[in-house]
Amino acid sequence: MRRFCCLCLLFVSLTAWAQVSACLPTQQEKPFRSGEQFIMSIMFKWGAVNPEVAKVSVSLDSLQYLGKPCYHTALKVKSASFFDAFFKMREHFQSWFDASTIRPYKFSRETLEGNYTATNLYLYDWEAGKIHADVEFDGKDPKTLEIPLRDGVYDLPSLIYYVRSLDYSKFRKGQVMTLTFAIDDDVYDVRLTYYGTERIKVRKMGQVQAHRFSCSVVSGAMFEGNQELQFWLSSDRNRIPVAIKVPLRFGSVQCWLSNTSNLKYPFTALGK
């Protein structure tokens, strides 16, 4: 269950592919701004059972890091009180990344998922090509290490904003791409497929026009083979996450956008 949280599940497919993330086209105008916030509800669906088990809140603000303008994002996951007795979740991811290039400068992680705990603190040294990392996870002793760093490597929070900034007009349906992120003591590649735009019914919101993506998931204790994690970003100028669906061996995890504030543009993806 240590991969239960929607952010980790979103990028749990770890497999190399041919195209590197550094080559993907991005749009000049960023689809987000300082002060943006959004909340997603996490639901566990198993047959007729469909309880809301947690909420994810994501906020963005601007500041200076080592004299450079940057964004700071904080992603928090908190399980519902009734669900704490079964599986308590507390996640706090933070990332400080360049306001123009989205290159990360710093990353921190504090995770509690049931009996599993993890902490990460990264300082990115782009000139030396290294991440200076202090990590503790999976019951192992804390360690300080240097992780090799190359162009196109992100942490999980900054990767969300990078994906939102991609120029989807340059993609074709069925195109496969690779995104790269660091977590704990290693760097991973994620195979991503783009399916174009479609309407999806978002819980309590109605029909939303959105860009659809999928990731292959690795067969294991939680996942069956040959399944795909799917997520949707609104097709308006905000590119805000509106839905995530994660298949499990028993049931599925579904995440739905439930609230937004201070978006950069009016939310125009709602269908009629």
Side-chain angles (χ1 to χ4, degrees), residues 2 14 31 36-37 63 65 85 90 117 138 168 200-201 213 220 222 233 238 255 259 268:
R2 68 188 56 171
L14 307 179
E36 175 193 273
Q37 296 183 356
L63 43 78
Y65 183 82
R90 298 291 187 272
T117 61
D138 206 19
Y168 301 158
I200 179 173
K201 186 176 181 180
F213 295 85
M222 291 180 63
L233 303 180
N238 295 294
C255 306
N259 193 22
T268 59

Side-chain angles (χ1 to χ4, degrees), residues 26-45:
T26 57
Q27 58 184 27
Q28 186 174 3
E29 185 71 21
K30 298 293 186 293
F32 44 80
R33 67 176 176 181
S34 178
E36 175 193 273
Q37 296 183 356
F38 62 91
I39 296 174
M40 299 190 77
S41 298
I42 302 179
M43 309 186 73
F44 176 68
K45 185 173 179 58

